[in-house]
């Protein structure tokens, strides 16, 4: 049984159909990439997996461990071990970064009973702080970020590093990362990929949405690459597909820039 099973998923935003029959299985610990032209529905899929209220599921289903999650709240989905790293992380003024992470961590640790044995148990605020500092260091962010508000005034690249740092702290069973490499300098792409590799080592699954082969080259594990077009997955292949797309673009798949 796959950890995640997306079955013939049709999704609308207002009255516009965006996803048009997506099928995707991700087994425990598998690493998948989703590529595709701008506007093909990649972020829509990511957002709908975590239950963003703007999107309506018209038909089809999303199963986690064989149970439908489409009626669950975003919180309940997070408690099942799903994590979303946003394409455009929002700034949350007034919410302290370390306070936010400690609350989220505690909530998840309580609910992920089966995973407890794999998670650090924190006795003190200081120990948790050390754990955060270690993870900040993993993504190349300075400890001073802990005393700031969540994402407020972070640069584009800092926001992206911050997303994967949250992922490392929360240790999801499946992380969906929407363009974790966009806007990053070359060293940062490597740092973010290494953070993803650390999560992979814990046995978690990952779905990376990206436009570029570069970040995928750094990943220690990559099981499948999918191409999305017009709200559907139209091709699935191995690691070599991203290199082929980098050289040839999408036209050889019958996709032109004007046929999202
Ligand atoms: N609120 C909305 N109202 C109408 N259309 C929308 C809305 N939100 C998204 N769309 C449309 O849904 C389509 C898919 O968008 P989505 O963000 O999923 O694409 P994407 O594959 O992530 O693209 P990119 O690579 O540019 O990030 C686009 O045509 C977009 O304009
Ligand atoms: Mg997108």
């Amino acid at each position: 049984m796959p950890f995640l099973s997306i079955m013939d998923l049709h999704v609308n935003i207002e009255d516009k159909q965006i996803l048009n029959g997506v099928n995707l299985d991700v087994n425990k610990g598998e690493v998948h990439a989703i590529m595709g032209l701008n506007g093909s529905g990649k972020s829509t899929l990511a957002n709908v997996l975590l239950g963003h209220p703007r999107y309506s599921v018209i038909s089809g289903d999303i199963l986690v461990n064989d149970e439908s999650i489409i009626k669950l709240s975003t919180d309940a989905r997070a408690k099942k071990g799903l994590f979303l790293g946003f394409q455009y992380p929002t700034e949350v003024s007034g919410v302290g970064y370390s306070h936010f992470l400690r609350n989220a961590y505690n909530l998840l640790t309580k609910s992920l009973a089966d995973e407890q044995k794999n998670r650090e148990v924190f006795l003190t605020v200081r120990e948790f702080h050390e754990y955060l500092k270690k993870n900040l260091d993993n993504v190349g962010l300075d400890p001073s970020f802990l005393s700031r508000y969540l994402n407020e005034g972070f640069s584009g690249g800092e926001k992206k590093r911050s997303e994967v740092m949250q992922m490392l702290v929360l240790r999801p069973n499946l992380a969906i990362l929407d363009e974790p490499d966009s806007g990053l300098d070359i060293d940062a792409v490597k740092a973010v990929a290494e953070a993803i590799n650390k999560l992979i080592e814990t046995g978690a699954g990952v779905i990376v949405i990206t436009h570029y082969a570069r970040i995928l080259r750094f990943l220690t594990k990559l099981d499948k690459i999918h191409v999305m077009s017009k709200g559907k997955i139209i091709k699935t292949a191995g690691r070599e597909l991203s290199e082929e797309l980098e050289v040839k673009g999408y036209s050889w798949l019958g996709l032109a820039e004007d046929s999202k």
Side-chain angles (χ1 to χ4, degrees):
M1 166 184 67
F3 176 74
L4 172 74
S5 195
I6 301 172
M7 297 157 70
D8 198 23
L9 191 66
H10 290 72
V11 170
N12 280 14
I13 302 177
E14 282 139 33
D15 285 337
K16 189 175 167 199
Q17 186 171 333
I18 310 287
L19 298 186
N20 186 22
V22 174
N23 289 290
L24 177 65
D25 281 352
V26 179
N27 292 310
K28 191 173 178 299
E30 277 185 354
V31 181
H32 292 230
I34 301 179
M35 305 182 78
L37 295 172
N38 293 135
S40 55
K42 305 178 299 298
S43 295
T44 301
L45 179 63
N47 290 329
V48 90
L49 285 174
L50 266 289
H52 190 297
R54 196 195 298 145
Y55 303 85
S56 339
V57 173
I58 301 304
S59 63
D61 210 345
I62 305 169
L63 308 182
V64 168
N65 285 329
D66 233 11
E67 278 175 46
S68 176
I69 61 162
I70 56 173
K71 294 207 164 61
L72 297 184
S73 66
T74 297
D75 273 12
R77 297 179 198 212
K79 286 178 183 167
K80 290 196 174 287
L82 296 181
F83 173 92
L84 174 60
F86 292 99
Q87 183 170 2
Y88 304 110
T90 44
E91 303 195 4
V92 191
S93 188
V95 174
Y97 198 31
S98 67
H99 181 77
F100 161 79
L101 283 168
R102 190 170 161 79
N103 273 347
Y105 185 90
N106 285 341
L107 279 173
L108 290 180
T109 303
K110 277 196 202 107
S111 57
L112 288 172
D114 296 348
E115 314 283 323
Q116 292 268 13
K117 52 186 180 303
N118 302 322
R119 299 170 82 89
E120 273 103 317
V121 176
F122 296 101
L123 300 173
T124 66
V125 171
R126 182 175 296 175
E127 279 167 338
F128 188 70
H129 202 77
E130 286 305 310
Y131 176 62
L132 292 186
K133 282 206 323 214
K134 190 183 82 190
N135 282 306
L136 280 170
D137 193 50
N138 279 331
V139 299
L141 288 178
D142 189 86
S144 65
F145 278 82
L146 290 178
S147 53
R148 293 173 65 170
Y149 291 139
L150 183 61
N151 289 332
E152 194 183 53
F154 289 19
S155 77
E158 286 164 354
K159 282 182 186 160
K160 289 292 170 174
R161 292 180 195 236
S162 162
E163 293 287 293
V164 288
M165 132 83 180
Q166 289 169 41
M167 170 195 83
L168 285 180
V169 168
L170 299 177
R171 298 252 204 100
N173 295 324
L174 177 67
I176 299 129
L177 302 173
D178 195 354
E179 300 197 22
D181 52 343
S182 71
L184 291 186
D185 66 57
I186 293 165
D187 288 349
V189 172
K190 192 155 181 241
V192 163
E194 277 167 6
I196 298 172
N197 287 336
K198 284 209 162 62
L199 185 76
I200 294 171
E201 277 169 31
T202 71
V206 182
I207 299 175
V208 182
I209 296 170
T210 184
H211 288 292
Y212 306 107
R214 174 177 285 141
I215 189 167
L216 302 178
R217 284 182 204 133
F218 291 121
L219 297 182
T220 48
K221 188 173 196 303
L222 181 56
D223 296 285
K224 285 178 185 166
I225 296 181
H226 311 277
V227 176
M228 195 147 184
S229 169
K230 296 181 188 164
K232 262 187 160 165
I233 288 173
I234 55 140
K235 186 173 176 69
T236 296
R239 215 180 241 283
E240 68 289 349
L241 180 59
S242 61
E243 302 295 339
E244 215 170 344
L245 290 170
E246 189 117 318
V247 177
K248 298 203 243 168
Y250 287 98
S251 55
W252 62 286
L253 290 173
L255 307 182
E257 276 295 333
D258 61 356
S259 74
K260 290 166 188 171

